[in-house]
Amino acid sequence: MAENETLECITEHERILQEIESTDTACVGPTLRSIYDDQPNAHKRFMEKLDARIRNHDREIEKMCNFHHQGFVDAITELLKVRADAEKLMCQVTDTNRRLQEAGREVTAQTEEVIRCRIQQRNMATTVEKLQLCIPVLEMYSKLKEQLESKRYYAALKTMEQLEKVYIPRVSQYRFCQIMAENLPRLREEIKEISMSDLKDFLESIRKHSDKVGETAMRQAQQHRTFNSAVAKQASTGHYTKPVYSLNGRTHTHTHNGLMMEEDSGEEEEADEEVLTAQDLVDFSPVYRCLHIYTVLGDRETFENYYRKQRKKQARLVLQPQANMHETVEGYRRYFNQIVGFFVVEDHILHATRGLVTRAFTDELWNMALSKIIAVLRTHSSYCDDPDLVLELKNLIVIFADTLQGYGFPVNRLFDLLFEVRDQYNETLLKKWALVFREIFELDNYSPIPVETEEEYKLVVSRFPFHDAEIEKQDFPKKLPMSQSVPQIYTQVKEFIYASLKFSESLHRSSTEIDDMLRKSTNLLLTRTLSSCLQNLIKKPHIGLTELVQIIINTTHLEQACRYLEEFITNITNVSPETVHTTRLYGLSTFKDARHAAEGEIYTKLNQKIDEFIQLADYEWGMAESDGRASGYLMDLINFLRSTFQVFTHLPGKVAQTACMSACKHLSTSLMQMLLDTELKQISMGAIQQFNLDVIQCELFASSEPVPGFQGDTLQLAFIDLRQLLDLFMVWDWSTYLADYGQPTSKYLRVNPATALALLEKMKDTSKKNNIFSQFRKNDRDKQKLIETVVKQLRSLVNGMSS
């Protein structure tokens, strides 16, 4: 066991020594510590082992040194031999180095200069290369500045785009490029603001001067329409084309706000006019420029919305009329010019730009404008009372519609409006002609037209279609039956037709429609205006019987002339009167109604005149005996009736007979009312006799046939009631009256018991008053009893009739 342990210990020490020899010095500690951790006194045995190893190594070193000693000695000996040569060589090398240094000092200086030059050359080449990269950037930026100063903003944006995408990225490491890149967004915003400012100036200028554009457009449209009308007359074909614009004898200059201003060249208009389009009148470059700028900046939608919004606002401003627009045609012309100018600009923008405005947008604007225009024209035309102004307004509307129709805008509603304006025009014409008719009637002398010579006769006949064989056979001087107002009225009716026709021109209506318009308006003139004037004339207090007779004669001739008015309209429109839908003139009924009214007024005035004479009656109702002659007032009345009825012989038909019969009946009724007046309380037999004398004069007048045409005693029958009543009292034939009462063959058939009773009571009171002392006479007492008896019987008859 001891031997085994000793072998193990020796083996372990051997391992430790090998580890110490092969291990780094820093790691020896743990190895040595393991020696002390083993068996006690093991370190002593290790030390012994270590000493033995050291001695072994020393012996090996000594052997090696002994083996190499001779060689070392030989090497030292050789080295000592070389020492002298080495020193000599060192001196030679030192001398050679010195001489070399002295010889290379100048070369070194030149070499350093070459190196410095080479470095400078390299730096210059690098600088040139970098500058060649920077110069295009600077040139482009300088170009950008020039473009901005010259207001070439679209080109400036393109330059900016090249700078950002091509040039600046090449030299982005330089500070100035970074500054440039930072400035570009600001410059873009400035360009947007400047272009928008130019657009605003353009919009403001075009709003102020759109009337000039519209004026030119409407003038050209009118010239074009006139030319087409002339061509149509020759070729019978032709249609409206889009108008062009020209400014006569003018030169045009652009202003900063984009409007073409006019400078008078001082030359007269020439036949060949310069043909200009909308872009020749207006500089649209601000719009194009701003559109392109916003498109490049990717903000086109904002620009489109702004432009459309502003144009809508301007449209509303343009459509606002002046308060006094209806007073002059210039007010309407300025209004239409502004609207036409607005839509001419919009039409050009629509076709010259892609999508800035669309057809839907312009249609929306036009529909809004059309509604407003129609409402404005309806309102303002209603204030207009001058037919000439309404006619000029119609012409303006036609030119306005034709102009915008040439640009593709629908204008049917405007032509529909013209029918409303036509009604307004007719109303103003009717008012104007009402004044004309009144003036004619006021200036008329209501007497037949005297004709001294054949020339005068032909002059009258040329103005009025009058034909009368008997009058034509008469020698000069002679008189025509109608008064001066008849040819004047006829001429004015024709003038009215001409005036009404003027409105129908250029309305694109057929001849049949125009014919219908003329006839309807003429009917209104006859049935409303002329009829009203005649009715008012007839009712005027100063119009006497002579004037009324002449009015009846005048209306008769006017009525006969209506067929000539029909022919006159037919010749104008070339529409046959046999056409199914042709409207007939109502002149016949108009003049018949006026004639009937005049006849009625004659009857009324005759009765009024009779009443005036009767008011002059001054009967002495209590007189004992009559004067033996008729009353003065009645003789004056009869003389008046005789002279009046002589004038009536010129009246047509049975007007004179009717008037005479009406006058006699009214006279008879008035005399009867005079007898039966309730305020008249007493009547004597002498008064009855005087009254009988007056009635006899009336009967004599009736039998003298003051107006021819009555058969037998027809006119005398007007006084039959008075005659039978007076005969009853004059003869005192009460027995016959009472006996035959109610019989068809009664002598006093027309005497009413109530009438006889009223008059008898007036006489009874008179008898009582005048015969107070005569009551003792037998005859008087018998007569008084008879009166009382008759009164009782009459009362019974009256009571029987009432029951």
Side-chain angles (χ1 to χ4, degrees):
M1 293 294 290
E3 292 178 359
N4 290 334
E5 292 178 359
T6 301
L7 289 173
E8 292 177 1
C9 182
I10 292 170
T11 304
E12 180 67 23
H13 289 167
E14 188 66 27
R15 185 188 63 80
I16 292 171
L17 286 174
Q18 291 178 355
E19 186 173 351
I20 290 172
E21 290 174 350
S22 62
T23 305
D24 196 5
T25 307
C27 299
V28 174
T31 304
L32 294 178
R33 189 179 295 113
S34 65
I35 298 172
Y36 292 95
D37 291 342
D38 291 340
Q39 299 173 2
N41 300 322
H43 66 285
K44 292 180 180 182
R45 291 192 292 273
F46 177 74
M47 290 301 295
E48 293 174 356
K49 187 68 175 178
L50 179 62
D51 289 339
R53 178 62 65 88
I54 291 172
R55 286 193 298 274
N56 187 26
H57 282 297
D58 286 342
R59 285 193 296 275
E60 291 179 358
I61 291 171
E62 185 177 356
K63 288 178 180 180
M64 186 175 289
C65 286
N66 289 333
F67 177 75
H68 292 290
H69 181 266
Q70 188 57 43
F72 177 72
V73 171
D74 293 340
I76 292 299
T77 300
E78 290 292 330
L79 186 61
L80 287 175
K81 290 179 180 179
V82 176
R83 181 176 182 179
D85 295 334
E87 290 178 355
K88 182 179 179 181
L89 180 62
M90 184 64 181
C91 290
Q92 292 177 353
V93 170
T94 302
D95 182 60
T96 302
N97 181 57
R98 178 183 58 77
R99 286 187 284 106
L100 182 62
Q101 291 294 331
E102 290 177 357
R105 187 175 292 112
E106 183 178 353
V107 174
T108 302
Q110 292 179 356
T111 302
E112 289 177 353
E113 182 65 24
V114 170
I115 291 172
R116 186 177 61 79
C117 289
R118 291 291 178 86
I119 292 173
Q120 288 180 350
Q121 186 179 12
R122 186 178 68 247
N123 290 343
M124 290 174 66
T126 303
T127 301
V128 170
E129 180 183 355
K130 298 302 181 183
L131 284 175
Q132 287 177 345
L133 293 175
C134 293
I135 285 175
V137 178
L138 296 172
E139 288 178 347
M140 291 296 288
Y141 196 78
S142 176
K143 181 181 178 181
L144 173 63
K145 289 294 186 180
E146 292 177 358
Q147 290 169 341
L148 290 175
E149 289 176 0
S150 61
K151 297 184 179 181
R152 296 165 54 204
Y153 301 118
Y154 181 70
L157 289 175
K158 289 297 184 182
T159 304
M160 287 185 195
E161 186 177 359
Q162 291 181 349
L163 278 171
E164 283 183 330
K165 295 183 178 180
V166 179
Y167 293 97
I168 291 180
R170 297 175 183 174
V171 288
S172 59
Q173 67 272 22
Y174 299 111
R175 176 64 180 163
F176 77 90
C177 288
Q178 296 175 3
I179 295 174
M180 287 182 185
E182 292 173 357
N183 282 338
L184 293 182
R186 180 180 58 82
L187 292 176
R188 280 196 177 92
E189 289 301 321
E190 288 181 0
I191 290 174
K192 284 180 67 174
E193 292 175 359
I194 293 171
S195 61
M196 183 58 72
S197 176
D198 289 345
L199 177 67
K200 290 179 180 178
D201 293 340
F202 169 80
L203 292 175
E204 181 65 20
S205 298
I206 204 66
R207 184 185 69 83
K208 291 180 180 179
H209 300 91
S210 60
D211 56 339
K212 294 183 179 179
V213 179
E215 179 184 359
T216 305
M218 290 183 67
R219 183 172 65 249
Q220 290 298 326
Q222 185 175 11
Q223 294 173 355
H224 190 82
R225 184 163 61 87
T226 303
F227 175 76
N228 277 355
S229 298
V231 172
K233 290 180 180 179
Q234 297 178 358
S236 300
T237 58
H239 59 277
Y240 191 82
T241 58
K242 187 172 182 176
V244 294
Y245 304 94
S246 67
L247 296 177
N248 303 329
R250 306 273 183 176
T251 58
H252 315 286
T253 57
H254 292 277
T255 61
H256 70 281
N257 56 18
L259 188 71
M260 297 281 289
M261 299 302 292
E262 301 179 357
E263 298 176 357
D264 196 343
S265 64
E267 299 178 357
E268 296 181 354
E269 290 187 352
E270 298 180 356
D272 297 328
E273 299 178 346
E274 180 185 2
V275 177
L276 300 176
T277 56
Q279 60 266 30
D280 296 318
L281 289 175
V282 179
D283 180 15
F284 290 94
S285 58
V287 180
Y288 304 148
R289 192 162 51 240
C290 198
L291 175 62
H292 292 159
I293 288 171
Y294 272 78
T295 302
V296 171
L297 296 176
D299 204 9
R300 180 186 175 110
E301 184 177 357
T302 299
F303 173 74
E304 290 178 355
N305 292 336
Y306 175 81
Y307 178 85
R308 295 178 185 181
K309 181 179 179 181
Q310 293 302 314
R311 290 300 277 170
K312 277 187 177 180
K313 289 182 179 179
Q314 289 187 352
R316 293 189 179 95
L317 290 175
V318 166
L319 294 171
Q320 280 293 351
Q322 295 181 350
N324 60 342
M325 183 179 73
H326 61 276
E327 295 179 358
T328 62
V329 70
E330 288 303 320
Y332 288 108
R333 182 174 283 110
R334 284 193 298 270
Y335 182 68
F336 287 132
N337 287 343
Q338 289 179 354
I339 296 173
V340 170
F342 178 90
F343 283 100
V344 166
V345 170
E346 285 306 292
D347 179 78
H348 179 78
I349 293 293
L350 172 67
H351 291 91
T353 61
R354 296 181 179 178
L356 178 56
V357 295
T358 61
R359 175 57 69 182
F361 173 75
T362 55
D363 289 345
E364 178 187 355
L365 277 181
W366 173 242
N367 290 331
M368 182 262 296
L370 193 57
S371 299
K372 179 67 175 178
I373 292 167
I374 291 174
V376 167
L377 293 178
R378 278 197 185 118
T379 302
H380 283 264
S381 64
S382 64
Y383 300 146
C384 196
D385 54 3
D386 182 5
D388 295 333
L389 181 57
V390 178
L391 184 61
E392 291 181 346
L393 171 61
K394 166 258 174 181
N395 293 332
L396 281 177
I397 294 175
V398 171
I399 298 172
F400 173 75
D402 286 347
T403 303
L404 289 175
Q405 189 178 33
Y407 286 93
F409 295 101
V411 294
N412 292 335
R413 291 174 62 190
L414 284 175
F415 284 104
D416 294 339
L417 173 67
L418 283 175
F419 284 96
E420 299 180 24
V421 178
R422 182 198 65 190
D423 296 337
Q424 175 66 20
Y425 176 69
N426 286 336
E427 288 298 322
T428 56
L429 283 182
L430 293 175
K431 291 179 182 178
K432 178 180 179 180
W433 256 260
L435 297 176
V436 171
F437 290 151
R438 290 194 193 105
E439 184 178 3
I440 290 173
F441 290 142
E442 288 176 1
L443 298 178
D444 193 10
N445 56 10
Y446 296 99
S447 60
I449 300 176
V451 178
E452 300 293 335
T453 63
E454 186 175 357
E455 287 73 16
E456 292 182 7
Y457 178 79
K458 289 181 178 179
L459 179 62
V460 175
V461 173
S462 65
R463 295 170 57 198
F464 180 77
F466 174 76
H467 303 285
D468 190 312
E470 294 183 1
I471 293 180
E472 289 177 358
K473 293 177 181 178
Q474 295 177 5
D475 297 330
F476 292 99
K478 53 188 174 183
K479 292 185 178 181
L480 304 183
M482 64 279 190
S483 67
Q484 293 178 354
S485 63
V486 173
Q488 293 175 353
I489 292 293
Y490 183 81
T491 302
Q492 287 302 320
V493 172
K494 292 172 66 175
E495 290 296 326
F496 176 88
I497 295 173
Y498 278 127
S500 182
L501 178 65
K502 289 181 180 178
F503 194 92
S504 303
E505 296 174 352
S506 305
L507 289 186
H508 310 299
R509 298 293 173 179
S510 65
S511 299
T512 304
E513 290 176 305
I514 294 176
D515 182 85
D516 187 64
M517 293 179 193
L518 290 179
R519 292 176 183 274
K520 287 182 178 178
S521 58
T522 306
N523 278 332
L524 283 176
L525 178 73
L526 297 176
T527 60
R528 198 171 76 184
T529 305
L530 182 55
S531 176
S532 176
C533 291
L534 285 171
Q535 296 291 341
N536 292 335
L537 173 67
I538 292 168
K539 298 295 183 182
K540 284 186 176 181
H542 70 274
I543 297 296
L545 292 172
T546 305
E547 288 83 0
L548 288 172
V549 170
Q550 188 61 54
I551 289 173
I552 292 176
I553 296 172
N554 290 348
T555 53
T556 302
H557 287 283
L558 287 172
E559 179 182 345
Q560 295 171 354
C562 280
R563 62 187 183 90
Y564 296 100
L565 290 176
E566 293 260 10
E567 294 176 1
F568 178 71
I569 296 176
T570 301
N571 293 333
I572 292 177
T573 60
N574 293 323
V575 176
S576 174
E578 284 75 22
T579 304
V580 176
H581 301 290
T582 301
T583 304
R584 301 298 178 184
L585 292 184
Y586 301 145
L588 297 177
S589 60
T590 298
F591 297 120
K592 283 182 180 178
D593 293 342
R595 189 161 58 251
H596 291 160
E599 292 170 3
E601 193 67 18
I602 285 178
Y603 307 150
T604 302
K605 286 189 178 295
L606 264 178
N607 294 341
Q608 290 175 352
K609 200 68 177 176
I610 291 172
D611 292 339
E612 292 177 4
F613 278 102
I614 289 180
Q615 287 177 1
L616 299 176
D618 187 18
Y619 286 103
E620 186 179 349
W621 297 107
M623 62 192 312
E625 293 181 358
S626 66
D627 294 337
R629 63 179 181 274
S631 302
Y633 85 91
L634 188 68
M635 297 306 298
D636 293 339
L637 172 58
I638 291 175
N639 292 332
F640 165 76
L641 291 177
R642 288 186 187 279
S643 61
T644 300
F645 290 143
Q646 287 179 357
V647 178
F648 282 13
T649 55
H650 300 291
L651 288 175
K654 298 183 178 181
V655 178
Q657 297 177 9
T658 306
C660 185
M661 177 60 74
S662 173
C664 290
K665 285 184 177 180
H666 184 73
L667 176 58
S668 175
T669 303
S670 300
L671 292 175
M672 180 70 76
Q673 290 176 350
M674 189 186 302
L675 281 178
L676 302 178
D677 188 3
T678 55
E679 294 183 359
L680 178 60
K681 302 299 182 181
Q682 298 175 353
I683 299 178
S684 65
M685 182 57 69
I688 293 293
Q689 293 172 353
Q690 182 63 43
F691 202 81
N692 182 56
L693 292 176
D694 293 342
V695 172
I696 290 173
Q697 291 298 323
C698 292
E699 290 173 334
L700 291 174
F701 168 75
S703 63
S704 67
E705 196 176 7
V707 173
F710 287 104
Q711 296 180 356
D713 56 354
T714 303
L715 192 58
Q716 297 179 26
L717 293 177
F719 300 97
I720 189 64
D721 292 353
L722 271 176
R723 170 47 53 206
Q724 291 185 5
L725 179 64
L726 292 175
D727 285 348
L728 177 61
F729 279 84
M730 293 288 291
V731 179
W732 206 254
D733 193 9
W734 291 107
S735 58
T736 304
Y737 174 75
L738 295 174
D740 296 341
Y741 178 76
Q743 300 296 325
T745 58
S746 174
K747 182 180 179 181
Y748 307 102
L749 180 64
R750 305 298 295 266
V751 177
N752 189 292
T755 303
L757 176 61
L759 183 57
L760 188 59
E761 287 183 340
K762 297 177 187 292
M763 293 187 68
K764 182 179 69 172
D765 294 336
T766 304
S767 300
K768 289 182 178 180
K769 181 178 179 181
N770 294 334
N771 298 308
I772 296 176
F773 298 102
S774 300
Q775 58 182 338
F776 300 104
R777 292 196 291 268
K778 185 176 184 300
N779 291 336
D780 294 333
R781 288 197 304 269
D782 293 342
K783 186 177 181 180
Q784 189 65 32
K785 290 180 181 179
L786 177 60
I787 290 175
E788 291 176 356
T789 304
V790 172
V791 166
K792 291 179 181 179
Q793 291 179 350
L794 289 175
R795 283 177 179 170
S796 64
L797 289 176
V798 171
N799 293 333
M801 292 173 60
S802 61
S803 61

